[in-house]
Amino acid sequence: MKQRLQKGSLLFIVTLFMAALSGCGKPYLSALDPAGEVARKQYDLMMWSVWIMVFVMVVVFAVFLAVLIRFRRKKGDESIPKQVAGNHKLEILWTIIPIVLLILIAIPTISQVFSLGDTKAMDKKKDAKQGALIVKVRASLYWWEFEYPGYGVVTSQELVVPTNQKVYFQVKASDVKHSFWIPSVGGKMDANTDNINKFWLEIDDKKAEDAGNVFYGKCAELCGPSHALMDFRVKAVPQDEFKAWISNMKNAKETKPASALAQEGQDVFKKSCISCHAVTPNDTRPEQARTAPNLATFGEREKVAGILDCDEANLKNWIKDPGKYKPGTKMPAFGDKLSDRQIDALAAYLMQLKAGE
């Protein structure tokens, strides 16, 4: 008896602990606070289904309690309640009710699937000229690339989009299967190696302002040991600000070193890093040659590799041993290939890289 009580107490504690953990998380990674049209429609569909299920539960429990109370066995009463097996009216009724409930869920769901999956605008040249914004998303182990084909701009790790405007995405992967997900903005989209998936998102300017114009994205498909660290940042800005950003990126030139140390770093970069990385957003190399993140705006970013605070100390640690922070990353460790002086110089050079400079 004592062992049973101990097992029961342990089970209760574990259940309580799991319930508490299920409520933990970051507010900017919540799908329950929709920040755009797509997320809002998906949230409404989810809540519509939840309310239908709650209604069914209430009715079932009400009937159960009514039957339990009305037909409970009384002392001295050996009578058997009327049996309803084979009652055609009841059988028809409890067959029709689930069908009706499924129809109530299916109609709005199917309608939204076609609405949210409408990407015809990105396939029409005349629409593209009129301003349909297309972003090519490419997922790799364990980083993200964002290409704006209409502007000849390539960047990585930080996605910049305008608010109150549909942004059309073409999503693919370069190595294994990934999944592109901005929880507050819309549902997940698989990134496959053998085909391109298309969808669109839109971010409300008021929601973006409330969030400090920053949202965060994740990989939602288990892709390797650093799957949970495959993060990216989304900057949602007003349309005029986005146009200015695009203009800066289109006209960006390779940053000139601002110090003798940075000049040394540029030399190191050209000898050790240039075969994989680019330092200008107008990267014309084919996708197959872009095997590492574009670093054109590295000095403006808030994170190193999407996970570490962007400062020289973290950058140097990352250069020395990236596998320590992202197990399985394809970037080699340079701790035993470069001297401390060379790593200091390389960090100084990378930290000054900015768009339009």
Side-chain angles (χ1 to χ4, degrees):
M1 184 68 179
K2 185 177 180 181
Q3 289 182 340
R4 289 182 180 179
L5 287 174
Q6 288 176 341
K7 289 181 179 179
S9 300
L10 180 61
L11 179 61
F12 175 75
I13 293 172
V14 171
T15 303
L16 189 63
F17 184 65
M18 291 176 65
L21 286 179
S22 68
C24 299
K26 303 293 185 182
Y28 52 74
L29 286 175
S30 174
L32 301 180
D33 185 17
E37 181 180 351
V38 174
R40 187 163 52 250
K41 287 180 177 179
Q42 292 172 342
Y43 175 82
D44 290 343
L45 277 176
M46 180 177 65
M47 293 308 300
W48 172 243
S49 300
V50 168
W51 284 119
I52 288 177
M53 288 185 285
V54 169
F55 170 75
V56 171
M57 288 178 62
V58 169
V59 171
V60 169
F61 274 102
V63 172
F64 173 75
L65 290 174
V67 171
L68 193 66
I69 295 172
R70 182 177 177 183
F71 296 104
R72 70 187 185 280
R73 175 166 292 184
K74 300 175 183 176
K75 188 174 182 180
D77 185 3
E78 300 296 331
S79 63
I80 299 177
K82 182 180 178 181
Q83 302 300 294
V84 296
N87 188 311
H88 295 307
K89 290 182 179 179
L90 284 178
E91 289 179 353
I92 292 172
L93 181 64
W94 58 52
T95 299
I96 290 177
I97 290 176
I99 293 174
V100 172
L101 294 176
L102 286 175
I103 290 174
L104 290 175
I105 295 175
I107 290 177
T109 299
I110 294 172
S111 174
Q112 293 303 334
V113 165
F114 283 97
S115 173
L116 299 179
D118 183 9
T119 58
K120 294 177 182 177
M122 69 192 301
D123 299 324
K124 296 179 181 179
K125 292 183 179 179
K126 64 177 183 179
D127 288 337
K129 292 179 180 178
Q130 293 171 359
L133 177 60
I134 299 173
V135 179
K136 291 183 177 181
V137 177
R138 188 164 63 100
S140 302
L141 295 168
Y142 296 94
W143 56 279
W144 298 88
E145 179 183 85
F146 307 110
E147 180 182 358
Y148 302 77
Y151 303 100
V153 169
V154 178
T155 185
S156 63
Q157 295 300 93
E158 293 197 355
L159 171 66
V160 181
V161 293
T163 56
N164 289 349
Q165 179 180 338
K166 284 186 178 181
V167 181
Y168 294 87
F169 294 92
Q170 297 178 352
V171 184
K172 65 178 296 186
S174 60
D175 36 46
V176 300
K177 187 172 183 177
H178 301 277
S179 186
F180 178 77
W181 186 32
I182 312 173
S184 298
V185 183
K188 310 165 188 176
M189 179 58 69
D190 283 348
N192 302 322
T193 57
D194 52 355
N195 70 290
I196 297 174
N197 286 327
K198 303 176 182 179
F199 77 126
W200 60 271
L201 296 173
E202 185 172 353
I203 300 177
D204 295 339
D205 55 352
K206 183 62 170 63
K207 284 289 186 178
E209 185 179 346
D210 293 343
N213 297 104
V214 175
F215 298 94
Y216 292 87
K218 303 282 291 185
C219 175
E221 183 75 28
L222 182 59
C223 55
S226 289
H227 156 69
L229 303 175
M230 193 170 164
D231 299 353
F232 62 94
R233 188 170 177 264
V234 183
K235 189 174 181 181
V237 298
Q239 295 182 25
D240 290 343
E241 190 173 333
F242 175 77
K243 290 177 181 177
W245 178 81
I246 279 288
S247 179
N248 284 339
M249 295 290 278
K250 285 174 62 178
N251 299 314
K253 305 297 181 183
E254 186 173 347
T255 303
K256 294 181 180 180
S259 65
L261 185 62
Q263 178 63 64
E264 289 182 37
Q266 186 182 52
D267 295 337
V268 173
F269 183 88
K270 289 182 177 180
K271 291 178 181 178
S272 305
C273 312
I274 197 66
S275 60
C276 298
H277 295 279
V279 289
T280 56
N282 41 11
D283 188 355
T284 57
R285 296 178 301 167
E287 287 184 359
Q288 294 81 359
R290 303 198 298 262
T291 57
N294 187 296
L295 303 177
T297 58
F298 188 85
E300 299 174 340
R301 298 178 188 174
E302 292 192 358
K303 298 291 182 180
V304 174
I307 54 173
L308 304 172
D309 290 339
C310 193
D311 56 46
E312 287 200 22
N314 282 331
L315 176 56
K316 292 174 187 177
N317 289 333
W318 171 260
I319 294 172
K320 290 177 181 178
D321 187 9
K324 177 181 178 181
Y325 303 96
K326 275 191 176 182
T329 182
K330 294 182 177 180
M331 179 175 169
F334 285 90
D336 56 352
K337 298 177 181 179
L338 301 175
S339 66
D340 288 343
R341 171 72 182 187
Q342 288 176 312
I343 292 177
D344 289 345
L346 184 56
Y349 170 67
L350 293 176
M351 289 298 294
Q352 69 169 38
L353 294 178
K354 297 182 180 181
E357 295 188 10

